[in-house]
Amino acid sequence: MKTHLLTIAVMLFSISTFAQPNRERIKALKVAHITTTLNLSEEEAQQFWPIYNAYDKKTSKIKHGDLREMRREIRQGAESLSEKEANDLLARFIEAENKMHLERTQLVEKLRAVIPAKKIILLKVAEEEFNRKILEQMKNFRDRRQKNKP
């Protein structure tokens, strides 16, 4: 039953968000997946989503800002980095990873006040499951495009 609801929710969100940019569509699908998995009460949802959205905004900034820039630098010439440049890049990477860890820890502490610990664990499971499904869909899409290329 739960999987049927999830499938319906995903399809509805897919259709309703078709005109939105990919990132917004993925975010809407993620919200639907988390909502279904956690089965939040109305009161829990009112307290959960502002906390989670603030966390998501902060971590997205780190992922799509700091970490993306570092990955770009590595792709452009990891072989040509001097030892000092490599050490500086590693220090920036560690700092960004520490920020991500701190944000996650703060999320858990804030959520403990509004939802049961089991639902916090389910949140982690839901996020990992969602990311895995999105990556699978992206891979399948890429594979189909490669097959259709002349």
Side-chain angles (χ1 to χ4, degrees):
M1 180 68 176
K2 203 175 207 180
T3 57
H4 294 297
L5 290 174
L6 177 61
T7 303
I8 292 168
V10 168
M11 288 178 8
L12 288 174
F13 274 99
S14 295
I15 292 167
S16 69
T17 60
F18 186 76
Q20 297 176 348
N22 283 340
R23 190 173 286 160
E24 291 301 314
R25 287 185 9 214
I26 291 171
K27 186 174 181 173
L29 292 170
K30 184 178 180 180
V31 167
H33 182 72
I34 290 172
T35 299
T36 302
T37 303
L38 296 187
N39 194 25
L40 298 170
S41 69
E42 187 176 327
E43 182 181 326
E44 288 172 335
Q46 288 175 348
Q47 295 175 339
F48 171 84
W49 285 111
I51 294 169
Y52 187 82
N53 289 337
Y55 158 80
D56 192 50
K57 185 176 180 180
K58 290 176 187 174
T59 57
S60 288
K61 185 177 179 182
I62 296 167
K63 289 177 198 172
H64 300 294
D66 301 343
L67 291 172
R68 178 179 283 165
E69 176 64 24
M70 285 181 261
R71 283 193 293 277
R72 186 185 59 75
E73 288 178 40
I74 291 168
R75 278 193 310 272
Q76 287 180 344
E79 297 293 324
S80 65
L81 289 174
S82 70
E83 191 63 23
K84 182 188 179 329
E85 291 170 327
N87 275 315
D88 290 346
L89 189 58
L90 279 175
R92 288 176 33 218
F93 178 76
I94 290 169
E95 183 181 346
E97 288 293 324
N98 284 338
K99 284 181 192 176
M100 292 289 291
H101 177 72
L102 178 63
E103 290 300 329
R104 187 68 183 183
T105 303
Q106 290 174 348
L107 172 70
V108 170
E109 289 305 318
K110 289 175 184 175
L111 289 179
R112 277 185 167 162
V114 298
I115 62 174
K118 184 175 180 178
K119 288 187 179 183
I120 297 171
I121 299 296
L122 288 174
L123 171 63
K124 180 68 174 161
V125 171
E127 288 173 324
E128 289 174 358
E129 184 178 74
F130 179 79
N131 290 338
R132 183 183 46 76
K133 286 180 181 181
I134 288 295
L135 288 174
E136 284 176 13
Q137 287 181 359
M138 290 172 65
K139 182 185 177 300
N140 291 340
F141 177 74
R142 210 173 340 197
D143 290 347
R144 284 193 306 267
R145 282 183 48 202
Q146 289 298 323
K147 287 179 184 178
N148 293 332
K149 272 190 173 178

